[in-house]
Amino acid sequence: MTGDDTAPSEPDVRPKRWRVARRRLLIGAGATVGSLLVGVPIALEYGRPSLARWMLERGTGPAEIPESSLVWFELTGDGITVHVPKIEMGQGIHTALAQIAAEELRVRPEQLAVVQADTARGFPAATLFTFGSTSVASLYTPIREAAAAVREMLAIEAARQLNVEPAELTVAEGALQVAGTGRVLAYVDVIAAHQGPWQEPGERPVLRPAGEFTSIGRSAPRVDFRAKVLGEATYGYDARLPGMDYGAFAVPPRFGARLESAEPGDAAGMPGVLQVVIDVEAGFAGVVADTRTRAWAAARALRTTWSEGTRVDTGALERQVTAGDGVVLRRDGSIRNALSRGRIVQAEYRTPMAAHAHLEPLAALAAVEPGPAGKVELWVPTQSPESVLEDVRAALGEEREVVVHVTQLGGSFGRKGGQHLAVEAARLSAATGRPVHVGWTRDTDLRQAFYRPPTHTKMRGSVGPDGMIRGVEQVSAAGDIIWAVAGLPEPVRSLIGFDPGGLLGLFLPYDLPAYRLVNRREQLPVPTGPWRGLGLMPNTFALESFFDELAEAAGTDPLTYRLAHLRKSGEQGERLRTVLRTAAQMAGWHESLPAGLGRGIACSGDARTVVAVVAEVDLSGGRLRVTGVDVAVDCGLVVNPAGAKLQAQGSVVMGLSSALREELRIQDGQVVSDNFDSYPILAMADTPPVRVTFVGGGEVPYGMGEPVVGPVPAAVANAVRAAGGPRLRSLPLRL
């Protein structure tokens, strides 16, 4: 390790040893990583249920930190900096990770500076991928162990400087003190006085017992609060470099259209235009100008011809996504026998396509050095730096060194899992030899995206004479989620027969004598992909709405009916029982309401977290108005209660927006819901009070970013029915 602290471009995958350079401290930490294995189709029809359960239990990708990843702590005279490999998208994870580090370093969180790691700092790009509510859960132990090792190394060095044994030292607020004396050395003083090699701890450092926590489990202000309030935080749209120009490019007129020819046309002579860049083989025609407005005006003036593309509309997509034949993902008991008698209840549910509607449209800044092997630096708001890196190398050359600096993200919800604007900015920068920034307008962002796929679910159940459910048959269909953005070959996808992203929320969590689940995967002619929670919210909307319909057929209170059908033993059933009872108590479930008002309940689980939601609605004015939402969450150990509460409230707002407002419309192969006037989202005036309670606890944190969104639409639909309204089975909910 050299004195300038430059990380190797190709991280060594061998076990890391703790190393330091003068006035810099580096520590390696690692864990294991899961992998998705696809075998031969032996007894595939009967193997799919097990494969589905396997994927559901392990998620849709690696949630842990690969062995080659590094957690960096940098100590200087200015303080302690933590370089973290997970991306801040507004969810507050940098604050939670700072609290985790502070706990073992024995400092206050505000004594730490948290910096977003980039692909040049020693972290494999895959490690930076931030998704699936896994960030805090996956980094909890690695960061604690790394921070504890840093603390022990500082204690060993401080003991040498003070001529005492390490065991004689106590540590508090970034300082080491000889017990019972006034002899104290601050961390920065230990670093400044250090000479020679650092001594590693002889044994794995002991982690702080939970009973002694002073940071973990306590609410803390966000570490990025000041920068955001003062406008100092850098988002993708804010990224700037000296001598930077602006780029824009021609976009296809409809989905599936391909560029067939392109000429500069009038664009080359327009004011401010610096260069026209055309590569028909790559499907690219763009311009560079001195302002963003001039760049987009010139891009519209390019003379282009496109292939036909699709002419599909929303109605055709809904007809294509129709539940029917598919693959069997679960079969318990005899569904034929269960549905042969008893009171039969049937229903169908639909959810539409939806946009991510993140606050910040896509943007990227690229600086490409001249020559076929010139270095590429990118400033991009992305959840997946690895995808950006791979896409840029594929476009400009595999031999190039590519560095991805991740900016703040003004929302994402899955949309910025990749970031193809980085490729377009890099193409333009490579052509001009100058930094180029590309940023989309709102309407372009909505029209040139991928979307939450539509779903259709058919439910059929039987209620016995005792009111208990005899069995349920569930037949569902949806467009691709994970397979739409993953690189797995189509023959393998077809062999598996289902999309793993669609598994979230797909299974009824109740103990039923008979249960059969059939799933149909549809490849749509429009781009679809991950949306917050993947399949969790659409699936939970159907399942938890239908469960209320079964309760109504049985003449039983929906809460009581759920509690009666949860497993009597096992952790999952008990945890769901707890959150259901807690949410009901918060909402005053058994208290009577005036005419026109109603309460609805729903629950689900994801990322090891279980959630129950009670929504209260008012139909008395002739329109649907949500007046309050109560949420009970068991997400394991809560690192930052204030941050977790905000995450839960944000999920509720997004769930309500989808339930009450959002519906992406397609006509003639184009999005016609191209701005917030035609794609409305929930406004502040329509946002009800959202009360959140955490229950359960535990030794480790579970996921928090997505699970709460799942039950929200179902709870609202159930409340509408309880208020005397109709049973609403399609989103958005309309009376």
Side-chain angles (χ1 to χ4, degrees):
M1 185 91 176
T2 59
D4 64 0
D5 215 22
T6 302
S9 59
E10 295 293 334
D12 189 349
V13 297
R14 294 170 299 179
K16 301 292 179 183
R17 291 181 61 82
W18 293 307
R19 301 173 295 165
V20 297
R22 181 168 178 78
R23 301 185 64 80
R24 293 289 189 274
L25 185 56
L26 158 67
I27 183 165
T32 60
V33 60
S35 60
L36 173 62
L37 303 178
V38 180
V40 296
I42 298 176
L44 189 58
E45 179 65 22
Y46 285 85
R48 281 195 181 98
S50 297
L51 181 60
R53 285 194 296 272
W54 191 92
M55 286 188 176
L56 191 63
E57 290 169 1
R58 288 157 179 77
T60 54
E64 306 213 10
I65 305 304
E67 291 183 358
S68 59
S69 71
L70 300 174
V71 177
W72 293 71
F73 291 85
E74 193 172 28
L75 286 78
T76 71
D78 296 326
I80 305 173
T81 300
V82 184
H83 297 263
V84 295
K86 292 299 177 183
I87 293 160
E88 180 62 64
M89 297 177 278
Q91 73 276 49
I93 56 171
H94 281 190
T95 302
L97 296 177
Q99 290 179 257
I100 295 167
E103 194 66 70
E104 298 300 339
L105 285 169
R106 305 291 201 273
V107 299
R108 299 187 309 276
E110 57 267 28
Q111 291 179 271
L112 299 176
V114 181
V115 175
Q116 174 68 60
D118 57 41
T119 61
R121 195 169 178 85
F123 291 96
T127 304
L128 304 180
F129 184 27
T130 304
F131 78 107
S133 306
T134 60
S135 296
V136 172
S138 64
L139 280 174
Y140 179 72
T141 299
I143 283 187
R144 288 189 67 194
E145 291 179 347
V150 171
R151 183 193 70 229
E152 291 300 307
M153 292 170 71
L154 288 168
I156 292 170
E157 174 60 18
R160 187 192 67 78
Q161 294 177 15
L162 293 167
N163 197 26
V164 298
E165 292 297 320
E168 299 179 52
L169 298 176
T170 61
V171 187
E173 297 196 0
L176 300 115
Q177 181 175 6
V178 180
T181 75
R183 302 175 67 195
V184 179
L185 280 178
Y187 284 170
V188 291
D189 297 329
V190 176
I191 295 288
H194 168 73
Q195 294 182 354
W198 288 81
Q199 183 178 342
E200 302 174 11
E203 300 178 355
R204 182 180 294 274
V206 176
L207 301 183
R208 199 172 203 174
E212 299 179 10
F213 283 170
T214 60
S215 179
I216 294 174
R218 300 190 179 188
S219 294
R222 290 183 57 131
V223 296
D224 55 2
F225 180 77
R226 175 182 173 84
K228 288 182 175 178
V229 169
L230 297 180
E232 297 171 352
T234 299
Y235 292 84
Y237 240 95
D238 301 325
R240 297 289 186 271
L241 285 175
M244 184 184 84
D245 297 320
Y246 295 88
F249 53 93
V251 296
R254 60 183 55 83
F255 296 122
R258 296 290 181 265
L259 185 66
E260 293 185 336
S261 68
E263 297 177 3
D266 296 333
M270 295 178 68
V273 172
L274 304 174
Q275 192 162 341
V276 175
V277 181
I278 293 176
D279 185 344
V280 175
E281 185 177 347
F284 181 78
V287 298
V288 178
D290 58 358
T291 70
R292 194 185 314 282
T293 301
R294 286 175 166 176
W296 277 112
R300 289 190 289 269
L302 292 169
R303 188 178 302 137
T304 58
T305 58
W306 301 81
S307 64
E308 176 72 7
T310 182
R311 296 281 184 176
V312 73
D313 60 19
T314 299
L317 291 171
E318 290 181 350
R319 289 189 294 273
Q320 184 178 351
V321 180
T322 297
D325 296 336
V327 297
V328 177
L329 298 185
R330 186 163 172 178
R331 48 162 67 89
D332 300 336
S334 173
I335 194 65
R336 178 178 297 179
N337 179 62
L339 297 180
S340 65
R341 56 187 184 274
R343 181 172 181 180
I344 304 300
V345 180
Q346 301 183 79
E348 297 184 25
Y349 304 88
R350 283 195 177 273
T351 63
M353 295 182 70
H356 303 81
H358 38 75
L359 180 63
E360 177 194 34
L362 265 61
L365 170 61
V368 181
E369 294 180 353
K375 179 180 179 181
V376 181
E377 284 198 87
L378 303 160
W379 288 261
V380 193
T382 178
Q383 291 178 241
S384 179
E386 181 183 36
S387 297
V388 172
L389 188 151
E390 291 177 349
D391 290 347
V392 169
R393 280 185 176 156
L396 300 189
E398 296 293 338
E399 69 279 7
R400 288 184 182 269
E401 177 189 356
V402 179
V403 177
V404 180
H405 305 279
V406 182
T407 67
Q408 290 270 351
L409 276 66
S412 178
F413 315 114
R415 173 65 181 100
K416 298 171 183 173
Q419 238 287 29
H420 66 88
L421 256 64
V423 177
E424 318 306 356
R427 290 185 195 277
L428 295 171
S429 178
T432 62
R434 294 162 59 88
V436 175
H437 189 283
V438 177
W440 269 354
T441 57
R442 174 64 60 190
D443 59 337
T444 304
D445 194 277
L446 280 169
R447 286 188 283 109
Q448 303 294 327
F450 61 78
Y451 313 96
R452 187 185 74 198
T455 68
H456 180 223
T457 305
K458 295 180 179 179
M459 305 292 297
R460 191 160 60 120
S462 174
V463 177
D466 59 354
M468 298 296 284
I469 300 172
R470 294 178 49 82
V472 171
E473 183 176 54
Q474 173 185 339
V475 184
S476 62
D480 280 343
I481 300 175
I482 296 298
W483 292 157
V485 295
L488 210 60
E490 177 53 36
V492 178
R493 303 177 192 181
S494 298
L495 182 67
I496 295 173
F498 61 88
D499 187 302
L503 296 179
L504 302 187
L506 188 63
F507 299 84
L508 275 164
Y510 304 102
D511 189 12
L512 305 176
Y515 181 34
R516 183 172 184 264
L517 169 56
V518 179
N519 180 254
R520 180 185 183 92
R521 168 189 168 239
E522 287 288 349
Q523 289 182 273
L524 301 177
V526 298
T528 59
W531 188 93
R532 191 173 194 172
L534 307 182
L536 178 65
M537 195 200 73
N539 292 331
T540 304
F541 169 64
L543 299 189
E544 285 293 281
S545 294
F546 186 66
F547 204 86
D548 256 43
E549 298 205 49
L550 291 170
E552 185 175 350
T556 306
D557 170 75
L559 170 63
T560 303
Y561 208 55
R562 283 173 171 79
L563 296 175
H565 284 87
L566 288 171
R567 294 186 183 278
K568 300 298 187 293
S569 61
E571 179 185 359
Q572 185 75 354
E574 188 56 39
R575 293 175 69 210
L576 281 170
R577 189 173 284 108
T578 298
V579 294
L580 282 165
R581 286 172 170 160
T582 302
Q585 183 178 14
M586 292 168 63
W589 179 261
H590 296 293
E591 298 174 7
S592 61
L593 290 171
L597 275 64
R599 298 188 188 96
I601 195 167
C603 65
S604 67
D606 178 40
R608 299 188 67 187
T609 292
V610 294
V611 180
V613 171
V614 175
E616 182 175 301
V617 304
D618 184 353
L619 309 182
S620 60
R623 60 184 289 263
L624 168 55
R625 188 165 62 92
V626 180
T627 57
V629 178
D630 290 281
V631 184
V633 185
D634 179 352
C635 58
L637 173 67
V638 183
V639 174
N640 183 353
K645 180 181 178 181
L646 290 173
Q647 279 287 86
Q649 291 174 327
S651 289
V652 169
V653 171
M654 193 165 182
L656 289 175
S657 185
S658 185
L660 302 174
R661 300 282 189 274
E662 298 181 43
E663 181 180 21
L664 192 85
R665 306 295 298 178
I666 307 291
Q667 183 177 323
D668 194 31
Q670 305 173 60
V671 170
V672 293
S673 311
D674 62 358
N675 215 318
F676 289 135
D677 58 342
S678 53
Y679 188 83
I681 59 176
L682 194 73
M684 289 291 290
D686 296 318
T687 301
V690 179
R691 297 166 287 270
V692 180
T693 295
F694 295 101
V695 299
E699 297 182 357
V700 295
Y702 304 147
M704 193 61 224
E706 298 173 307
V708 175
V709 77
V712 174
V716 175
N718 292 338
V720 170
R721 181 61 177 160
R727 169 54 63 181
L728 302 178
R729 300 189 178 97
S730 296
L731 299 184
L733 303 171
R734 297 189 177 105
L735 295 179

